[in-house]
Amino acid sequence: MIVSMFGVLFDGLAYGMLLFLLSVGLSVTLGMMNFVNLAHCTFGMIGGYVTVTLMNSMGWPFLATLPAAFLVAAAASVVFERTMFRRLYRSTDLDQCLLTIGLVFVSVASAAWLYGTIQQPVNLPSYLRGSYNVMGVTIGVYRLFLIGMSIVITVALVGALEYTRFGAQVRAAVDNQRMARGLGINVDGAFAVTFALGSGLAGLGGALAIDIVGLDPSFALAYLVYVLIVVSVGGLGSIAGSLVAAIVLGISDMAGKYYFPEIGSFLIYLVMLSLLMWRPVGLFGKR
Amino acid sequence: MVSSLAEPLLALRNIRAGYGEAVVLDNISLELADRGSLAVLGRNGVGKSTLLLTIMGFTTLRRGNILWQGRDITALAPHRRARAGIGWVAQEREIFANLTVEENLTVAARPGRWDKRAIFELFPRIGERRANKGNQLSGGEQQMLAMARALMTNPALLLLDEPLEGLAPIIVEELAGALKRMIRDEGTAVILIEQHAGIALSLTEDAVLLERGAIVHRAKSADLMKDAATLDRYIGMKIKA
């Protein structure tokens, strides 16, 4: 029991880290720019298909596809932002939801048309496969890699936002857009970079997710729910909040499926409900 | 465009501006010479702040144009005007609450004479509180920081919207001293909106009086200071010597 508990904790932690990578960008764009981007997981899906295509059709090694997944998703988001999202920054939430959910459906259909509806295979390199056995607990190498990767990204993200001039300018623009502009800060540019960064991380998350949750065209819609839960439980705009929420939800989801398989899939919603009833603005939310 | 010596630093030509459908300012024309200083006086709600917001590009401009060093900036985005050398100190100070005092300065920094060291010399209090968050400052400190932050952009023109409002007399004195230094010694051009008409006129060279969105009187500040009748008529206050 105890041993299995550690196993569930570890797997849940890895799963939570994956949710964190997928959702942190949305938390930042929603919290900072007030743009409701329901198409966030579309960028995750783009990252996933980039990795699959590069590996299976072009023979790239898995690790080399990860930066590509990040870059392509980020670049795609810039195109979306410039051509569509930008026009709706001052529109109502409903307009933003309608546009972005429409994009989700378009992306789901496009992925089905291009790749079919089957699960995409991914062959991890041998050094990322297998597992260690530590005192009876199975520690999957790939899950360990996921956790390490997420820690590095979190540290880099917090560092960039809290300790660079660009990060301070983004925070200033979030705090008071007009004043930031009045001081010469290119607010639109800063937001575009932030948006691309968040989408790129989703792309990376999508690529890393294939081995854990699989990849098919429904990804953009299926994970939207999880990502929204993480963002609302964590609190808008809070990186630390997203991290904690993603870990809590990842572990409770794993635990639910392991210990209470009959209601396993519902446990994550119960956790969400109780956390939001306890703190309606999210764990680290300010509003 | 070739700029000549006589060319004004800033020129507003027949400006009509407001917010959305509402027109606040009409038929405003004024010029400010390089190193010039202008006091904008008038009762509450006559459009003084709107004038500064229009110069920054935050209002809806319906007619007229704005020239900066001879160049038409009527269609220029606000952040580009700031980068071109127009510094703005907003009426509500608008300190970035979640940034430290030091970050409030660095986000605005552009190369030039004003850097953090020069700022901390001008406002030693700001230097002492550099690690505090913006929302932990007193009103006077916030005002100093707002002014310091605008100076960090190394502006050729500083737009000041009631920088002395609601401050304790001792802080008013300190800030007025800093303003005097900027105008007289540093040669920074200034447009100053101020309820303390006496201080505003003593700091500036020229003055305009605004009423219902239009300029109703222009004078040398020194002359207006002695013109009690005009002051009383348009701002309803007597100048204290």
Side-chain angles (χ1 to χ4, degrees):
Chain A
M1 180 71 186
I2 294 290
V3 167
S4 78
M5 195 178 83
F6 279 112
V8 165
L9 275 178
F10 176 75
D11 285 358
L13 182 66
Y15 184 51
M17 289 300 201
L18 198 59
L19 290 178
F20 169 69
L21 284 184
L22 275 173
S23 51
V24 66
L26 183 64
S27 173
V28 170
T29 47
L30 198 59
M32 296 188 166
M33 296 150 70
N34 282 316
F35 185 78
V36 187
N37 179 19
L38 297 182
H40 186 71
C41 284
T42 291
F43 302 120
M45 185 170 76
I46 289 174
Y49 278 111
V50 165
T51 286
V52 165
T53 309
L54 289 177
M55 282 182 77
N56 298 346
S57 308
M58 303 170 82
W60 283 37
F62 176 70
L63 286 185
T65 68
L66 295 180
F70 176 93
L71 288 175
V72 174
S77 79
V78 171
V79 173
F80 279 37
E81 202 261 348
R82 293 278 140 172
T83 54
M84 289 180 276
F85 296 174
R86 154 165 305 232
R87 295 161 199 273
L88 291 190
Y89 279 159
R90 295 206 174 94
S91 304
T92 61
D93 294 351
L94 181 63
D95 286 344
Q96 298 174 351
C97 283
L98 287 174
L99 171 74
T100 53
I101 199 72
L103 285 173
V104 172
F105 294 133
V106 171
S107 69
V108 169
S110 308
W113 182 62
L114 285 168
Y115 292 89
T117 52
I118 48 157
Q119 289 277 341
Q120 296 295 318
V122 61
N123 282 310
L124 292 179
S126 56
Y127 53 82
L128 285 179
R129 276 182 296 200
S131 57
Y132 300 112
N133 198 313
V134 182
M135 292 184 294
V137 182
T138 311
I139 303 286
V141 174
Y142 186 68
R143 286 176 165 77
L144 204 58
F145 167 75
L146 261 185
I147 293 170
M149 190 99 177
S150 305
I151 291 172
V152 170
I153 286 168
T154 310
V155 170
L157 209 55
V158 171
L161 202 56
E162 295 295 324
Y163 300 104
T164 67
R165 180 164 183 247
F166 177 77
Q169 288 184 331
V170 170
R171 282 181 290 133
V174 169
D175 195 342
N176 185 335
Q177 273 201 40
R178 192 178 72 172
M179 194 65 234
R181 288 179 208 274
L183 290 168
I185 296 172
N186 181 357
V187 172
D188 295 344
F191 281 172
V193 171
T194 310
F195 188 73
L197 193 69
S199 307
L201 286 178
L204 180 62
L208 290 169
I210 308 171
D211 190 62
I212 308 273
V213 300
L215 175 68
D216 65 41
S218 69
F219 186 93
L221 203 52
Y223 278 84
L224 172 62
V225 179
Y226 288 89
V227 161
L228 288 176
I229 292 176
V230 169
V231 171
S232 51
V233 168
L236 291 183
S238 166
I239 293 176
S242 292
L243 182 64
V244 173
I247 291 172
V248 168
L249 293 165
I251 290 174
S252 46
D253 195 45
M254 257 333 141
K257 284 172 181 155
Y258 191 89
Y259 293 112
F260 317 102
E262 313 82 34
I263 61 151
S265 305
F266 289 100
L267 193 66
I268 192 168
Y269 300 105
L270 286 177
V271 171
M272 172 191 78
L273 274 178
S274 25
L275 286 175
L276 284 180
M277 281 166 82
W278 172 48
R279 291 193 62 107
V281 292
L283 297 173
F284 290 65
K286 295 195 182 78
R287 63 193 163 89
Chain B
M1 202 165 176
V2 185
S3 63
S4 69
L5 275 176
E7 191 166 80
L9 182 68
L10 177 78
L12 273 57
R13 308 239 191 269
N14 301 317
I15 294 293
R16 174 186 287 176
Y19 308 95
E21 293 294 306
V23 172
V24 179
L25 298 174
D26 202 9
N27 204 22
I28 298 266
S29 291
L30 58 82
E31 287 189 355
L32 185 73
D34 197 16
R35 305 171 80 93
S37 53
L38 177 76
V40 178
L41 306 177
R43 290 192 174 86
N44 282 331
V46 295
K48 302 189 298 293
S49 294
T50 306
L51 178 65
L52 298 194
L53 290 169
T54 301
I55 296 172
M56 286 310 297
F58 290 121
T59 60
T60 315
L61 194 72
R62 304 181 154 269
R63 202 171 66 196
N65 35 16
I66 304 173
L67 303 178
W68 172 251
Q69 295 167 331
R71 183 173 142 233
D72 194 325
I73 59 163
T74 311
L76 208 61
H79 76 275
R80 298 203 176 275
R81 301 187 194 200
R83 290 180 184 187
I86 307 180
W88 176 49
V89 180
Q91 187 175 14
E92 305 294 331
R93 290 145 201 173
E94 306 193 18
I95 297 304
F96 301 121
N98 297 319
L99 271 60
T100 64
V101 167
E102 193 159 3
E103 283 174 335
N104 264 279
L105 295 174
T106 49
V107 292
R110 303 194 69 74
R113 162 189 185 338
W114 291 106
D115 54 15
K116 269 187 285 184
R117 222 174 58 189
I119 291 292
F120 293 155
E121 246 170 66
L122 184 68
F123 298 117
R125 274 161 187 272
I126 297 297
E128 286 160 22
R129 311 216 55 183
R130 68 177 82 182
N132 286 90
K133 290 274 183 189
N135 55 9
Q136 297 168 331
L137 301 184
S138 70
E141 288 165 339
Q142 283 189 23
Q143 190 59 64
M144 288 179 201
L145 181 56
M147 212 184 282
R149 187 176 58 179
L151 283 178
M152 288 292 284
T153 67
N154 281 286
L157 165 65
L158 202 53
L159 308 176
L160 296 151
D161 199 340
E162 304 201 3
L164 308 178
E165 196 205 343
L167 300 178
I170 185 155
I171 309 281
V172 168
E173 212 168 285
E174 190 175 342
L175 275 168
L179 274 176
K180 188 180 273 180
R181 221 184 105 184
M182 272 179 257
I183 298 168
R184 301 269 159 84
D185 307 349
E186 310 284 346
T188 310
V190 162
I191 296 181
L192 174 63
I193 293 178
E194 194 41 70
Q195 296 290 340
H196 299 69
I199 297 178
L201 292 173
S202 72
L203 285 169
T204 52
E205 212 173 308
D206 298 286
V208 293
L209 283 167
L210 239 58
E211 192 170 69
R212 270 182 261 130
I215 295 177
V216 289
H217 189 82
R218 299 168 193 260
K220 286 281 166 197
S221 297
D223 298 337
L224 187 58
M225 184 107 79
K226 293 176 224 145
D227 188 354
T230 307
L231 280 175
D232 192 39
R233 182 170 161 208
Y234 291 115
I235 51 178
M237 62 165 95
K238 306 264 192 287
I239 295 277
K240 280 174 275 178

